[in-house]
Amino acid sequence: MNILLVEDDPDDLFLARRALDRSGLTYHLDHAEDGLKALEHLNRGPRPDVVLMDINMPRMDGLEALRAIRADPAHAGLPVVMLTTSDSERDILAAFDHQATAYYAKPLRGPELAKVVLAVAGAA
């Protein structure tokens, strides 16, 4: 399972890695610090099985990056899970308006995160 985690907070990056390690999932994790770095990663390859994306990031936030991903035919069907601390109805609606695959509040425990990753990657 190839995962691209788009996250600017080192603590949340650590927690996500720990949750994935404890999940029993066999995975390779690439990391991007913001939406611009995520788009650079997607355009240079390899294509991940799933993207886990925070919303609140510098330079390009997760919603802007999601819009750009969905606008590119090469990445339009890529599963993108918004994994964020925001429970704002505006953010949730915007994420689904831009065709997010799923939306979850952080942090997710290992088994929960593994289920999310497997469910959305299996739908790809």
Side-chain angles (χ1 to χ4, degrees):
M1 178 75 51
N2 292 315
I3 301 167
L4 174 59
L5 176 61
V6 188
E7 174 61 63
D8 66 315
D9 185 313
D11 292 334
D12 286 341
L13 173 62
F14 172 79
L15 290 173
R17 284 183 195 267
R18 192 170 87 184
L20 287 166
D21 287 344
R22 291 180 176 181
S23 73
L25 184 67
T26 302
Y27 72 95
H28 171 80
L29 184 70
D30 287 314
H31 172 245
E33 297 171 351
D34 59 45
L36 287 176
K37 296 254 187 208
L39 295 176
E40 290 172 9
H41 177 84
L42 291 173
N43 289 325
R44 74 173 193 273
R47 180 184 167 105
D49 297 304
V50 64
V51 176
L52 302 176
M53 177 108 56
D54 189 16
I55 287 182
N56 299 311
M57 297 179 290
R59 296 191 330 148
M60 177 185 275
D61 71 29
L63 294 173
E64 292 171 302
L66 176 61
R67 249 188 319 272
I69 290 168
R70 293 300 183 235
D72 184 339
H75 306 303
L78 181 63
V80 179
V81 175
M82 306 312 285
L83 186 60
T84 182
T85 57
S86 174
D87 61 358
S88 160
E89 184 175 349
R90 183 176 51 115
D91 286 342
I92 295 167
L93 293 174
F96 286 117
D97 282 347
H98 297 297
Q99 303 171 349
T101 308
Y103 192 105
Y104 291 92
K106 296 190 265 192
L108 289 179
R109 290 179 173 73
E112 295 166 326
L113 186 56
K115 285 179 189 176
V116 168
V117 169
L118 289 171
V120 299

